[in-house]
């Protein structure tokens, strides 16, 4: 059994350099790789292109990298919770590529599966389609989208084993699962790291073959973006 376990976030992120393209899992603040983001801030790498469903909030998640202006370009589908993101985008300090959410997920999944490109109707007739090939399938127009090309993919899982097998919990599965294996190197930080063979094979969402490095994370805050409670 091949072990993909590394002993620290520092060891896991070895090889990440300024100017690289990095995928980061999560949906809102749910399931984000908190330890890895904090380490990227500490490493002070810059001119990054980040592929993520969203850009965190001002003082958490990818917002921490935005604060230090370590991100050159964001490729996202939703960015409405981050005032600093908005400021940098409107001032021209940050390059932004907004992508329909389903297209973003499929561009990750296509990269994971080794599919170079695909056609989708999403975005046809809008700015999203500008400069892209258009074809008619069954009377409906589709645009050509290319799979992402990322140097690293960083995901966060609920449980993982030393062979790299991963189990996600709830909403955290949305973008973490298709991003695993979608970068040249995939790093997984997990809440609980167990010996290989411990996990029920029927419950594994991502097989270890998709993961290159796995480590035990710590001190997860798991913040909530918008807390909604029932009125008494």
């Amino acid at each position: 059994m091949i072990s993909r376990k590394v002993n620290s976030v520092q060891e896991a992120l070895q090889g990440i350099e300024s100017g690289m393209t990095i995928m980061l899992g999560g949906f809102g603040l749910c399931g984000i790789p908190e330890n890895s983001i904090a380490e990227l801030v500490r490493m002070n790498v810059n001119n990054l292109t980040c592929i993520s469903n969203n850009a965190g909030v001002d003082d958490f998640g990818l917002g921490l990298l935005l604060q230090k202006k370590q991100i050159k370009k964001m490729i996202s589908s939703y960015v409405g919770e981050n005032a600093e993101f908005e400021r940098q985008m409107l001032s021209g300090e940050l390059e932004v590529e907004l992508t329909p959410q389903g297209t973003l997920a499929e561009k990750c999944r296509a990269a994971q599966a080794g599919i170079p490109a695909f056609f989708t109707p999403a975005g046809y007739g809008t700015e999203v389609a500008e400069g892209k090939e258009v074809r008619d399938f069954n009377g409906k127009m589709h645009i050509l989208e290319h799979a992402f090309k990322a140097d690293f993919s960083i995901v966060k899982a609920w449980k993982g084993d030393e062979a790299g097998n991963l189990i996600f919990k709830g909403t955290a599965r949305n973008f973490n699962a298709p991003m695993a294996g979608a970068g040249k190197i995939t790093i997984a930080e997990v809440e609980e790291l167990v010996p290989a063979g411990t996990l029920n094979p029927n419950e594994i969402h991502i097989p270890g073959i998709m993961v290159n490095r796995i480590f035990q994370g710590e001190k997860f805050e798991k913040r909530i973006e918008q807390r909604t409670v029932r009125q008494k």
Side-chain angles (χ1 to χ4, degrees):
M1 183 71 69
I2 297 174
S3 176
R4 293 172 170 82
K5 176 186 174 183
V6 294
N7 295 317
S8 66
V9 64
Q10 292 80 14
E11 187 178 349
L13 268 57
Q14 283 184 3
I16 294 182
E17 300 175 354
S18 296
M20 285 187 166
T21 297
I22 303 175
M23 287 182 173
L24 296 114
F27 191 80
L29 296 180
C30 177
I32 63 172
E34 297 178 28
N35 289 261
S36 297
I37 292 171
E39 179 62 15
L40 289 172
V41 173
R42 191 199 66 79
M43 291 168 66
N44 201 33
V45 287
N46 51 45
N47 291 319
L48 298 174
T49 295
C50 291
I51 301 167
S52 177
N53 177 63
N54 61 285
V57 294
D58 288 285
D59 62 345
F60 196 62
L62 290 181
L64 298 173
L65 290 169
L66 286 168
Q67 278 184 353
K68 293 188 66 178
K69 298 185 179 179
Q70 292 173 255
I71 300 176
K72 174 186 69 175
K73 179 178 180 179
M74 277 296 310
I75 301 175
S76 300
S77 64
Y78 176 72
V79 293
E81 303 292 340
N82 194 314
E84 177 60 16
F85 178 100
E86 180 182 5
R87 189 198 66 77
Q88 290 187 24
M89 180 177 70
L90 295 177
S91 68
E93 298 172 40
L94 178 69
E95 186 178 349
V96 178
E97 183 178 317
L98 292 176
T99 305
Q101 195 165 76
T103 302
L104 185 76
E106 186 63 12
K107 284 163 77 78
C108 295
R109 195 195 67 82
Q112 180 190 69
I115 298 170
F118 58 92
F119 281 96
T120 175
Y124 174 73
T126 73
E127 292 181 7
V128 171
E130 290 182 3
K132 297 175 181 176
E133 181 182 342
V134 177
R135 287 183 62 179
D136 182 326
F137 291 93
N138 302 316
K140 191 171 186 177
M141 303 308 291
H142 293 63
I143 61 176
L144 181 68
E145 294 282 3
H146 291 268
F148 285 131
K149 294 180 180 179
D151 299 293
F152 283 82
S153 177
I154 306 176
V155 301
K156 188 261 182 178
W158 175 49
K159 282 186 180 182
D161 67 19
E162 294 177 358
N165 298 302
L166 304 177
I167 297 175
F168 304 103
K169 194 172 187 179
T171 305
R173 189 175 174 185
N174 282 8
F175 280 90
N176 279 300
M179 285 185 176
K184 293 179 182 177
I185 294 175
T186 293
I187 299 163
E189 68 174 66
V190 297
E191 293 183 41
E192 183 178 352
L193 184 59
V194 299
T198 303
L199 302 178
N200 182 343
N202 295 307
E203 296 176 354
I204 290 171
H205 296 135
I206 290 294
I209 196 171
M210 298 287 193
V211 176
N212 302 97
R213 305 171 190 169
I214 188 169
F215 72 96
Q216 173 83 58
E218 59 182 13
K219 299 178 181 178
F220 291 101
E221 292 188 42
K222 298 186 181 180
R223 292 196 199 176
I224 298 174
E225 277 177 280
Q226 300 289 345
R227 186 180 296 275
T228 303
V229 296
R230 185 176 63 185
Q231 296 297 322
K232 289 186 178 178

